Amino acid sequence: MEGPAAAALSELEREVGAPGDGLDRLRLVATPFVPEVRLHLAEDAIVWWARMEAASGHALPAPYWASVWAGGQALARHLLDHPELVAGRRVLDLAAGSGLVAIAAALAGADRVVANDIDPYAVAAVTLNAQANRVTLAATGEDLLDSDPDDTDLLVAGDVFYDQELADRMLPFLRRAAARGSHVLVGDPGRGHLPRNRLDLVASYQVPTTEPAVDTPVRRVEVLSPR
């Protein structure tokens, strides 16, 4: 690891090892819907973000990796409950965030797992979380959405339709992957930019809500596949 991701990893290692507690700390905790996986998460990601920006003196990417999201929880649960989808296969976790789904794929017996996210802090978090769960995977920071996906048997993407611009790039990439022979699975709790009429339902789950600014304790989350 080098460049921004290496610097982010050094910062997160210091954060994880720092004494004390409070809303602005990272803690290694079991994922509510996927207790087999432990993640370094912020008690309050916004408070953590504000402190880190103040310390660095410049803007930092929103720490989506520091919360556990509903779509990723459903996908991870689905993979662990259906290891036949994963065992011996090459897996790409796109917009991996904390790495929850990638870690679940590794635990379910994947031959190779790549967790991809353009945020260097997410790449660093995936690395730390993989170590905490004693799994081996690769974490990369390239923007893949304009490429043609290769060497992937299973492509998973949780919570990727929260923004119109991203959705407009994401769906074509997922469909290209499917056309090239990848099995593609998406996890989503019905976000506003989900192209529901272009996806088929695979499974649904009632997932405990832990993400910021959601006032319901449980959300219905769908696992879907592009047509």
Side-chain angles (χ1 to χ4, degrees):
M1 187 180 295
E2 58 186 22
L9 179 59
S10 294
E11 285 189 53
L12 293 190
E13 286 175 334
R14 288 194 296 271
E15 285 290 298
V16 167
D21 53 20
L23 292 179
D24 65 340
R25 308 309 309 181
L26 297 178
R27 294 185 177 87
L28 183 62
V29 296
T31 307
F33 198 55
V34 195
E36 300 95 323
V37 178
R38 297 189 302 160
L39 300 172
H40 292 96
L41 302 175
E43 182 76 14
D44 188 313
I46 303 302
V47 175
W48 184 89
W49 186 21
R51 178 171 63 79
M52 294 297 288
E53 284 195 326
S56 68
H58 59 82
L60 296 174
Y64 296 122
W65 56 268
S67 300
V68 61
W69 301 88
Q73 289 199 78
L75 268 179
R77 182 76 271 149
H78 191 71
L79 297 186
L80 288 171
D81 289 349
H82 299 279
E84 69 278 4
L85 298 173
V86 182
R89 297 190 173 183
R90 301 163 297 178
V91 179
L92 171 62
D93 180 11
L94 190 62
S98 66
L100 168 61
V101 185
I103 292 166
L107 291 173
D111 180 62
R112 184 193 73 192
V113 181
V114 176
N116 172 260
D117 200 294
I118 61 171
D119 179 0
Y121 283 87
V123 174
V126 168
T127 301
L128 287 179
N129 289 330
Q131 292 171 358
N133 289 278
R134 299 181 181 180
V135 298
T136 300
L137 52 79
T140 68
E142 298 90 349
D143 185 339
L144 302 179
L145 294 185
D146 293 324
S147 67
D148 289 321
D150 292 316
D151 299 327
T152 298
D153 301 312
L154 174 64
L155 193 160
V156 288
D159 303 285
V160 293
F161 290 105
Y162 59 86
D163 172 87
Q164 187 63 63
E165 182 179 355
L166 177 60
D168 288 344
R169 297 182 65 209
M170 183 64 65
L171 184 61
F173 179 83
L174 298 179
R175 296 183 76 178
R176 288 198 304 275
R180 295 172 73 92
S182 298
H183 184 193
V184 178
L185 293 174
V186 173
D188 197 278
R191 300 188 191 280
H193 302 288
L194 178 71
R196 188 65 183 78
N197 61 341
R198 299 184 183 182
L199 301 164
D200 290 324
L201 179 65
V202 175
S204 66
Y205 298 90
Q206 296 293 319
V207 177
T209 299
T210 60
E211 55 201 81
V214 176
D215 58 3
T216 178
V218 176
R219 300 182 77 176
R220 180 177 182 269
V221 185
E222 295 181 334
V223 174
L224 309 123
S225 186
R227 293 175 182 161

